[in-house]
Amino acid sequence: MNSLKIKNITKTYANNVKALRNISLEIENGMFGLLGPNGAGKSTLMKTIVGLQQPDNGSIFFNDENIVENQTFIKKQLGYLPQDFGVYHNISAYDLLNHLAILKGLNDKPTRKEQILALLEKTNLLEQKNKAVSSYSGGMRQRFGVAQALLGNPKIIIVDEPTAGLDPVERNRFNNLLSEIGQNIIVILSTHLVEDVRNLCTQMTIINNGELLLTGNPEQFVAQINGKVWKKHIDKNKLLEYENEYNIISTQLQGGKLSIKVFANENPMNGFTQAEADLEDVYFTTLQKLQ
């Protein structure tokens, strides 16, 4: 069982922006969702974990090794899939993986070839191994990204906004792949898409303004607010009135009418009906600190 323990991490940038505020987390094998809006501190936390920048205070232990002091330890066991990654034009998937594997220190040629072919098969790209990665579709590129992240058998993988721009079929295929990988290692999924966390993660945290607001099991969080979420269709011109009177969680246009969800311990009456709570409701009530 792999273990990542983050204790009291803080980070303030030169312009006095507090990017991380006393962050503490414990993560073990499985899919862990790091959920928050753009600019919340997700990227800063990931950069600090992988050793691209030093925290001002605090410690990070991976498998009992202090990786703030020994950054090489985690880099040897890390796979990373950024949101966007450039590829060389006209270089096949196999040749690019071979190049990256050598950079990762996989020097034994037969072993390297065996691992590359196994990863191409795992990511359903074996039949396209001789095609240029630059010609791949968005979904194929993301699956190639998983293959390169898995080179060298890492014990922790960080995935940044992985399904942005994918169609539903590719998103489902990609999510199934991530879920399979997360059975044996730590996979940290950094995203602003609630749907990805809901579908994949058994543990999660919500971060905003550099502060952890909520950490634990997504299903338990949904259960805690079930019975406290109410919905109603309103005239969109009356939204301001409702905002002044109710704790509005979210709004959505449906058939030209505005559907609103509000958070309240009891039925607010006035035509509201109870809504089935979901993780998106947890996310918005947490960001608005309504719970």
Side-chain angles (χ1 to χ4, degrees), residues 63-115:
N63 292 346
D64 298 323
E65 180 73 25
N66 188 330
I67 57 174
V68 173
E69 297 175 357
N70 182 7
Q71 296 174 358
T72 305
F73 182 79
I74 193 169
K75 287 178 180 177
K76 288 181 177 178
Q77 304 177 78
L78 173 73
Y80 180 56
L81 175 57
Q83 182 176 358
D84 297 302
F85 58 93
V87 294
Y88 300 109
H89 284 283
N90 302 320
I91 295 185
S92 71
Y94 182 91
D95 287 344
L96 188 49
L97 285 177
N98 189 56
H99 173 68
L100 294 170
I102 292 170
L103 292 177
K104 279 195 172 186
L106 301 176
N107 296 319
D108 183 70
K109 189 173 181 180
T111 303
R112 189 169 69 240
K113 180 178 180 180
E114 182 181 355
Q115 185 173 140

Side-chain angles (χ1 to χ4, degrees), residues 199-217:
N199 292 341
L200 292 170
C201 301
T202 55
Q203 294 292 311
M204 63 171 282
T205 192
I206 296 175
I207 184 172
N208 196 27
N209 296 322
E211 179 184 359
L212 295 188
L213 304 179
L214 193 69
T215 302
N217 179 268

